[in-house]
Structures are given as structure tokens and as C-alpha cells.
Amino acid sequence: MKLTLQGLKDSKAWEDIGISLPGYNIENVAANTKNSPVWVHFGAGNIFRIFIGGIADRLIEAGETDKGIICAETFDFDVIDKIYKPYDNLVLAVTLKSDGSTDKEVLASITEAVKADTDIIEDWNRLREIFVNPKLQMISFTITEKGYALSGPDGKFFPFIQADINNGPYKAKSAAAVVCALLNERYKSGKIPVAVVSMDNCSHNGEKLRSAVLTMAKEWLNKGYVESGFIDYISDENTVSFPWSMIDKITPRPAESVAKELEDAGVEDMEPVITSKNTYIAPFVNAEGPQYLVIEDKFPNGRPPLEKAGVYMTDRDTVNKVERMKVTTCLNPLHTALAVYGCVLGYTLIADEMRDKELRKLVEIIGIAEGMPVVTDPGILSPVDFVDEVLNVRVPNPFMPDTPQRIATDTSQKVGIRYGETIKAYVEKNGSAENLTGIPLAIAGWCRYLIGVDDEGNKFELSSDPMISELSRELTGIEVGRAESYKGQLKPILSNSNIFGIDLYKAGVGERIECMFKELIAGKGAVRRTLEKYTA
């Protein structure tokens, strides 16, 4: 059996192996979408395919819409060539359940996949055609937080962004430039309203996306590429809105075990591929079952009935509260603690860490004992129930192939939100965060991780992070097994409010983190002994 439109015609064969097929006419939905698109999405990756594509699929199945999503990719065009086109844009969605069973279904809601590149004339003209269509209601994104960054820490535009600024809309390459150029086409076609919705897992994502697009537009205005009216058009949220959102669904890289299970069942060509840009992707997507998407309900040209597929539609303040609850308290801080300690203790699966007495206790301290007293309660979701599901259902799922090494990526960009915000909340509430234990231990663990030596004294490779070189220089001279080699090297890191959002010494936890760190580097087995001490 092949995951193609032709292959789906033998529906009984698919049903016999427990894979559900779409109950709607796939060709009709594709034709309706092509002629009258309402939703285009940038970012062809896994969370889009299983989560966002799944939302559209449910709406189609329920008869709430007869149109799917058009997907546009700005970065890795191999994904379109190797994963979308050969499989007729179909997705085999595999939900990994904690009892070891899986739910499998084919999604056909992604009706078209194009390369968002001005040099690929046919695809670019198609995108222009989509953007000038008055029926288009929604442009969404999962391009990762990096996709909205236009400049580095020095404030200077990245070279590729500067090239986009210099070259103008008709030679756009980056995601921000591509979207800005296409919005300019919509503006010139009659200032047609539209919602531009970031669904990326980052704080204030709508604000970040709006800033990126406006910055590009203003730079183009300075160079004479666009009219001043275009700036007015995208600045007015009654014509172009940038709703905020919170998304949550753990979607790890495709597992070889799932590929083998599918192949053994008779589904052909399921092996994952690695693209030329190092994207690890497969015709199937495996993910956990729990999922949350909360969106600010600000759509000036109307929208699909997303709430009928489980999306929480609300106001901006509530979105911000849900995001803050998840990122600063109930999920992300726990993941980061497990990631850095998991790497140092030799774990290769996050779920296995939840069977580690000390690590489980650590994240319970961070999420419950220290998090709940200052948690932001959004009202539409219960923080207590959310963190309980994280600790007892989601993270311990042994069939989720998620690794500490993946989650440890870019930690320097995350610790300020994941820990700094709770520390600031304690300072605001009590004048100091000096009574915290779990969060300082997590930060000390991150610093210990940065040495790149595990608890047995063996070197390991650090996950990618834009600050690795700078942080490694700060830690020069520290040796595991020689506590006396620590001579205050952490001070520039812990006092850096650009990293943590606050000077940790002024917050009352800097010295405590230093003490914990010295215990963690005391020698072989010191990490385990330190965890035992503070989680007893």
C-alpha cells in the first residue's frame, strides 16, 4: 500500500490494518481550496502536518468547511520535494499513547504545497494569486521563533536580512520578507483585510511576527520599494491583524520504530529522510495525544470555525496568560531541567527520566511546590490539571521518542522565560527568591551541562545554541573533580539580565546557584549526589 491518492482507493486494506481514511471527497476539497483559498500556512514541518492539518481535517469531516490548507515552505524545499509531492500532500498521523498503542489516520486537509521563493516563478505566482484573493482569511505560521529574528545581539541585521532589504520585495528570500512582499500584493489589490497568525511556540508570538513584518516594510519604504500606505495597511489591526496564540503538542522527530511498524503492516516507503538542510522528516508524523491551541479571536476578514475543532478562541490577555502558565511554570521549565540533567546523566529518552526518583522529584518541586504559588491562572485552563497531565501522562509516556539532547537545544534563549519569570514573581511577591531550591538547582544543572562532561567524567557533545562559544569562554578553567578550579566564572552569566531577565544575585539566588554548581563539579557521581541532597 502506498500513501498516495491512488493508494487510498483500496480503502479496505487500510482499514484492515487499523488506519483510518478521510471520510470526505479529497479531490473536491482540493479543488474548492484551489479556487477559493481561505487559509495558507507557512512552515511545512511536523507540528503543522499533524496538529494544524488535523484541525482542518476535523472541520472538513464535520462538514464545517469544504476547504483545506495551502502550505508554503520558506526554508527547506527538500521537504516539499521528498515528503509532500511524492505522497500527494497526504499525512499519516500516528498518535503515540502511554499504553503503547497507537491511533493512525490519514489526513488530506493539506491540499497544496508550494515553495515560497521568488526565483521559483510558478510557485511565486501561485502565492501571489492566493494573497490577492479576497476570500483569504488566515495566514498562519510555524517557522520557529528564529524565523522572526531579523538582527543579532549587536542590533545589526543578519546578512541575509540586509540582502532582502537591499533587494526589495521581488527578490525576497527570508520568511519575513516573503510574507511582507505578499502582503504588499494584497494591499495593492485593494487593501483587503486578513489575519496573520503566528502559531509558533514563543512568547508574544503575534507581536514578534508583526514587528518583523513592519520592520521589513519600513526598510523597504526607506528604499522606495513600497508606498507609505502599505505601512498604514499593515499597522492597522482592523485590516491586518496579528493575533497572539499559544500552541502545545509534543511532536518529536519521526521514530524508526514507527516507520518499521508501518512497513511491517504493509505501508510502503515510510522511512524517514534527512534533507540537505538537515531536516529529519518522514511521510508519517508521530506525536502525543494531548494538544492545546489558544488563539486571540481577531480576524478582520472572518475565519474558519476553529473552535469546533477544539481550538480555544479568546482575547489577547487570556492567550498571554495561558502561554505564561505553560512556558514559565507548567511545562517548559520542567522540560529544560530534564534536558540538561538528562544529558549529564546519560539519558537518551525524556520519558525514562521520569522513572528516576531524583529527577521526578526535581520537576515536581519546580512545577508544583515553586510554580503553583505564583502561577498565572488563565481561567480557561486549570494550571493544577495542566501540570498534573504533564507530570503523569505526557512526559512519562514511554512511547514518545523525545530526547533530552533535542530539548537542550538553544537553552540560553529559553532560561530567561522558563526560570527568570518565576524568579521575578517571587522577588515581586516576597522581595527575594532566596527560598527557592528547584529552580536554582535547574539553573546550576544547566551551567554544569555547559562543561560538556557527564557524571561519569566522559565528554559529550552539547546541543546547538547561539551562545555556546560565549558561555564556554566564561567557564574556562573549570574542571570536573577539582572544585578549587571554580573561581567565580559563573558570575558574568548569572548576573546577565539579558539571559535571565534579571540579575540573579539581586534576586537572592546567585550565590545559591554557585554553591550548587560547586557541588555538581566535585567529581565523578557528584551530579547524582547533589540531586539526592536537594530532592530528599
Side-chain angles (χ1 to χ4, degrees):
M1 295 180 292
K2 290 183 178 291
L3 184 64
T4 61
L5 292 176
Q6 180 63 35
L8 295 190
K9 290 182 178 179
D10 186 1
S11 58
K12 187 175 185 304
W14 291 87
E15 292 164 5
D16 286 346
I17 60 172
I19 299 178
S20 302
L21 300 183
Y24 48 85
N25 187 302
I26 299 172
E27 289 83 357
N28 286 352
V29 169
N32 293 338
T33 308
K34 186 175 182 64
N35 294 331
S36 186
V38 298
W39 188 353
V40 61
H41 183 93
F42 285 83
N46 287 331
I47 196 165
F48 160 66
R49 295 164 68 208
I50 194 168
F51 192 178
I52 314 306
I55 289 169
D57 187 82
R58 282 192 289 282
L59 291 176
I60 299 167
E61 288 280 10
E64 297 292 343
T65 182
D66 61 355
K67 300 177 185 69
I69 307 177
I70 297 166
C71 172
E73 174 60 24
T74 62
F75 174 69
D76 193 340
F77 300 143
D78 279 356
V79 171
I80 303 297
D81 291 332
K82 295 182 177 182
I83 296 299
Y84 279 78
K85 289 183 178 179
Y87 301 92
D88 294 331
N89 304 319
L90 299 170
V91 178
L92 181 44
V94 181
T95 299
L96 305 170
K97 301 164 80 172
S98 59
D99 63 1
S101 64
T102 58
D103 287 338
K104 307 180 191 72
E105 60 179 330
V106 173
L107 308 178
S109 56
I110 303 168
T111 61
E112 197 174 344
V114 297
K115 300 172 184 176
D117 189 323
T118 50
D119 289 336
I120 304 174
I121 303 302
E122 182 180 354
D123 286 35
W124 186 251
N125 285 340
R126 174 58 181 149
L127 280 170
R128 291 176 63 193
E129 180 182 43
I130 292 164
F131 268 71
V132 302
N133 193 311
K135 298 290 187 182
L136 183 66
Q137 298 176 327
M138 180 176 179
I139 307 158
S140 56
F141 299 79
T142 50
I143 57 174
T144 77
E145 187 169 3
K146 296 178 190 175
Y148 309 119
L150 306 189
S151 56
D154 58 2
K156 295 180 180 179
F157 289 121
F158 294 123
F160 69 94
I161 294 295
Q162 189 62 59
D164 275 338
I165 292 169
N166 295 339
N167 294 334
Y170 299 107
K171 294 183 180 178
K173 295 296 178 186
S174 68
V178 162
V179 174
C180 192
L182 291 167
L183 285 172
N184 190 43
E185 296 294 322
R186 193 168 179 85
Y187 160 75
K188 291 187 295 183
S189 295
K191 304 178 185 178
I192 314 166
V194 71
V196 185
V197 190
S198 171
M199 295 180 179
D200 275 297
N201 183 23
C202 58
S203 179
H204 299 183
N205 49 18
E207 184 178 276
K208 287 181 170 65
L209 177 55
R210 184 175 188 268
S211 175
V213 172
L214 266 172
T215 298
M216 184 62 64
K218 289 175 180 177
E219 292 294 329
W220 282 345
L221 176 65
N222 292 338
K223 291 185 175 293
Y225 285 124
V226 299
E227 301 173 359
S228 59
F230 175 56
I231 308 299
D232 296 335
Y233 167 68
I234 58 175
S235 297
D236 184 354
E237 293 221 30
N238 291 314
T239 51
V240 180
S241 67
F242 292 85
W244 294 15
S245 74
M246 189 288 292
I247 192 168
D248 183 25
K249 184 179 181 73
I250 300 173
T251 310
R253 64 190 290 177
E256 292 283 354
S257 58
V258 174
K260 185 177 186 306
E261 178 186 347
L262 294 169
E263 294 272 8
D264 289 347
V267 185
E268 301 173 46
D269 303 325
M270 287 291 107
E271 279 299 312
V273 299
I274 301 176
T275 69
S276 60
K277 292 194 174 178
N278 293 317
T279 302
Y280 192 94
I281 196 165
F284 66 90
V285 182
N286 47 228
E288 66 172 344
Q291 58 186 34
Y292 300 90
L293 181 57
V294 184
I295 303 178
E296 178 188 0
D297 199 355
K298 194 178 182 90
F299 289 75
N301 201 32
R303 62 170 174 79
L306 301 171
E307 67 279 2
K308 294 185 178 180
V311 180
Y312 294 85
M313 305 303 299
T314 185
D315 57 82
R316 178 171 295 186
D317 185 55
T318 302
V319 172
N320 192 39
K321 287 178 178 177
V322 174
E323 193 270 341
R324 184 178 175 86
M325 176 198 76
K326 184 197 87 162
V327 173
T328 70
T329 309
C330 293
L331 174 60
N332 298 53
L334 318 186
H335 252 164
T336 292
L338 291 172
V340 296
Y341 275 108
C343 291
V344 174
L345 292 173
Y347 283 101
T348 57
L349 194 65
I350 284 288
D352 288 343
E353 294 185 65
M354 292 301 286
R355 294 196 294 272
D356 183 307
K357 178 184 173 184
E358 285 76 39
L359 291 180
R360 182 178 179 91
K361 182 63 176 178
L362 172 61
V363 292
E364 287 175 348
I365 292 170
I366 295 171
I368 299 174
E370 296 178 350
M372 288 301 107
V374 294
V375 70
T376 299
D377 189 341
I380 61 172
L381 292 171
S382 162
V384 172
D385 292 344
F386 193 95
V387 77
D388 180 75
E389 182 182 54
V390 167
L391 289 169
N392 296 303
V393 178
R394 300 177 65 184
V395 181
N397 185 342
F399 303 98
M400 282 287 294
D402 213 354
T403 69
Q405 291 74 23
R406 183 189 77 84
I407 295 171
T409 300
D410 299 335
T411 300
S412 70
Q413 310 302 294
K414 302 169 182 175
V415 287
I417 296 296
R418 298 185 178 188
Y419 300 122
E421 291 302 307
T422 297
I423 290 170
K424 285 192 284 186
Y426 271 92
V427 171
E428 184 177 346
K429 181 181 180 182
N430 303 324
S432 171
E434 61 186 3
N435 291 328
L436 296 178
T437 297
I439 289 174
L441 188 57
I443 295 171
W446 173 53
C447 296
R448 171 65 177 81
Y449 156 87
L450 289 170
I451 298 173
V453 176
D454 68 21
D455 203 26
E456 296 298 315
N458 304 309
K459 291 184 178 181
F460 65 87
E461 183 178 352
L462 298 176
S463 300
S464 63
D465 188 305
M467 289 190 70
I468 283 293
S469 297
E470 178 183 341
L471 293 167
S472 296
R473 284 195 301 271
E474 296 288 3
L475 297 174
T476 299
I478 298 175
E479 296 180 32
V480 173
R482 293 185 64 245
E484 67 274 14
S485 67
Y486 180 73
K487 302 181 184 301
Q489 290 96 324
L490 291 189
K491 292 184 186 298
I493 298 174
L494 302 182
S495 61
N496 190 339
S497 58
N498 290 327
I499 296 177
F500 293 100
I502 190 171
D503 181 331
L504 297 183
Y505 293 95
K506 293 180 179 178
V509 293
E511 288 85 358
R512 186 157 207 217
I513 293 169
E514 284 190 275
C515 290
M516 290 173 167
F517 177 78
K518 285 188 282 187
E519 293 176 70
L520 290 166
I521 65 167
K524 183 177 178 181
V527 173
R528 175 59 66 187
R529 290 192 296 274
T530 305
L531 283 168
E532 289 172 349
K533 173 182 174 180
Y534 288 102
T535 62

